[in-house]
Amino acid sequence: MRLVVAEDNALLRDGLIRLLEANGCTIVAAVDNATTLATALRDNDAEGAVLDVRMPPTFTDEGLKAAVAVRAERPGFPVMVLSQYVEQLYARELLASGQGAIGYLLKDRVANVGEFVDGVRRVVAGGTVIDPEVIATIMAKREEPVDRLTAREQEVLALMAEGRSNQAIASALFVSEKAVAKHTNSIFAKLDLPVAEDDNRRVRAVLAWLRV
């Protein structure tokens, strides 16, 4: 994976670079502000980006805006966004396009190197990886379409949003893969997601659930 890394904290930026390079990634650019980030994201050699939501000069949403902009220019460009806190509006804005290849994690998750790197790989491969705390926050505030789902289906969808396979979901819930497949099919039906050869229904289900 050839990645752009954007983080204004020098220690964390260096840590991300070392961590990703140690796990087979190539860092094509490492930047610390929104201006250089915008330029780096236009590099055709970049296959994805790992970036902070808040960056200079205002430390508000520069990273998010850069992520949204690059995905407008390069549809489906993979972006893993890191945030210090659960910022629900930022997560929803990032997901508003309805495309996959998006990750939104709290910075604390980087400490679990295996899961973080696996999440980056899933995003670059076109998947969606959403932090469990963001999922919990959105679930608590949404009425539709979550209220169509049973408690077990909500559990399955929450794990699906973390990017887990049916096998991993089955293991986490102590049920069979067949039971998970049944729940996922029910989720697709309740979220009005018919079978389509060119669509990833798992990604679409997560996006339909998390989007405004």
Side-chain angles (χ1 to χ4, degrees):
M1 297 182 290
R2 300 176 62 82
L3 303 174
V4 171
V5 171
E7 167 59 55
D8 62 281
N9 182 295
L11 288 177
L12 181 53
R13 184 173 63 255
D14 186 60
L16 286 170
I17 293 169
R18 291 174 182 271
L19 184 159
L20 290 166
E21 287 183 337
N23 284 274
C25 301
T26 298
I27 308 304
V28 297
V31 303
D32 63 1
N33 64 81
T35 301
T36 52
L37 172 58
T39 300
L41 291 175
R42 295 190 185 98
D43 186 345
N44 290 329
D45 286 339
E47 298 174 327
V50 177
L51 54 86
D52 188 10
V53 166
R54 302 185 180 210
M55 299 187 68
T58 69
F59 294 96
T60 55
D61 60 355
E62 283 86 355
L64 175 75
K65 287 180 177 177
V68 172
V70 70
R71 285 169 63 83
E73 294 179 13
R74 303 173 65 178
F77 183 80
V79 176
M80 172 67 84
V81 173
L82 302 178
S83 178
Q84 189 68 42
Y85 310 102
V86 175
E87 302 185 75
Q88 184 179 346
L89 292 178
Y90 289 171
R92 286 182 171 176
E93 184 171 350
L94 191 63
L95 292 162
S97 69
Q99 299 173 332
I102 281 292
Y104 188 100
L105 294 178
L106 296 183
K107 289 185 177 180
D108 289 348
R109 309 297 176 192
V110 178
N112 189 324
V113 174
E115 288 192 9
F116 171 67
V117 173
D118 184 56
V120 173
R121 287 181 176 137
R122 291 201 300 267
V123 168
V124 172
T128 301
V129 178
I130 309 298
D131 195 282
E133 288 192 31
V134 176
I135 294 168
T137 299
I138 294 177
M139 179 180 284
K141 296 182 178 181
R142 292 299 300 272
E143 295 181 355
E144 287 285 353
V146 174
D147 66 349
R148 302 179 192 173
L149 308 180
T150 65
R152 177 61 87 184
E153 288 166 353
Q154 289 185 29
E155 290 178 324
V156 170
L157 185 52
L159 291 169
M160 195 185 299
E162 293 178 30
R164 302 200 190 191
S165 65
N166 279 8
Q167 182 179 9
I169 294 172
S171 178
L173 298 179
F174 302 102
V175 298
S176 68
E177 285 189 59
K178 184 176 180 180
V180 173
K182 181 178 179 181
H183 289 311
T184 57
N185 286 334
S186 179
I187 290 167
F188 296 151
K190 291 180 179 180
L191 296 182
D192 302 318
L193 296 173
V195 176
E197 292 183 0
D198 59 347
D199 287 321
N200 185 327
R201 288 198 295 171
R202 295 176 76 88
V203 172
R204 292 174 61 208
V206 171
L207 295 178
W209 177 46
L210 295 175
R211 278 188 317 210
V212 175

